[in-house]
Amino acid sequence: MRHAFLILPLALLATVPHAQQRATRVGFVDVQQAVAALPGSSTYLSLAKKVDADLAAKQANIQKLAARAAASPTAANRQAVQKAQQDFLSAQKSYQGRLATEFKPLASRLNAAVASVAKSNGYSVVMDRRVAAQSHLVVYANSSATDLTAAVLKVLKK
């Protein structure tokens, strides 16, 4: 009887890890690389490149005007910075709508390919590698074990 009291807790402890055995697998896809491989993505990619260049130029202009306003804090300089910021935000909002419209048909094909690869390989969660890295959402990931980009590209080329 005494041994039963010793064995029972050990038996219960031994079953706990088995009850929680289902591991969540997280994978990563380089979405930009996958989008570039999609047929019909040239219009979207061209627009995205133009948007990036235009917004970068507007941002540089804001920085130049802000430096001028810091050196000479006049009302006109502050007003110029505010106007440039408003122009930037307006352009950014306009571009977001256009990019979303162009990306919508690509997104459905890309999402279907990612879902197919994830399900067939037992992944519960798949993230955009660049977004996860830029947002510091993921600190470390073994890319050789978690990168699904090649498999997604293979599905997209079918």
Side-chain angles (χ1 to χ4, degrees), residues 62 65-84:
I62 290 170
L65 292 171
R68 186 182 309 153
S72 175
T74 65
N77 285 342
R78 285 191 300 271
Q79 220 171 14
V81 171
Q82 287 176 347
K83 183 176 180 347

Side-chain angles (χ1 to χ4, degrees), residues 90-115:
S90 175
Q92 187 178 39
K93 185 176 180 180
S94 172
Y95 284 142
Q96 283 175 344
R98 289 175 56 196
L99 285 170
T101 301
E102 287 292 330
F103 187 68
K104 191 173 185 175
L106 302 174
S108 61
R109 293 193 317 230
L110 179 63
N111 290 342
V114 170

Side-chain angles (χ1 to χ4, degrees), residues 27-31 34-35 106-128 148-149 151-153 155-156:
F28 297 92
V29 173
D30 185 340
V31 172
V35 168
L106 302 174
S108 61
R109 293 193 317 230
L110 179 63
N111 290 342
V114 170
S116 170
V117 169
K119 286 177 186 174
S120 67
N121 291 300
Y123 285 87
S124 304
V125 177
V126 178
M127 305 170 105
D128 182 343
L148 301 174
T149 305
V152 169
L153 291 174
V155 169
L156 290 173

Side-chain angles (χ1 to χ4, degrees), residues 8 23 49 64-65 120:
L8 185 59
K49 188 174 181 178
K64 182 180 80 173
L65 292 171
S120 67

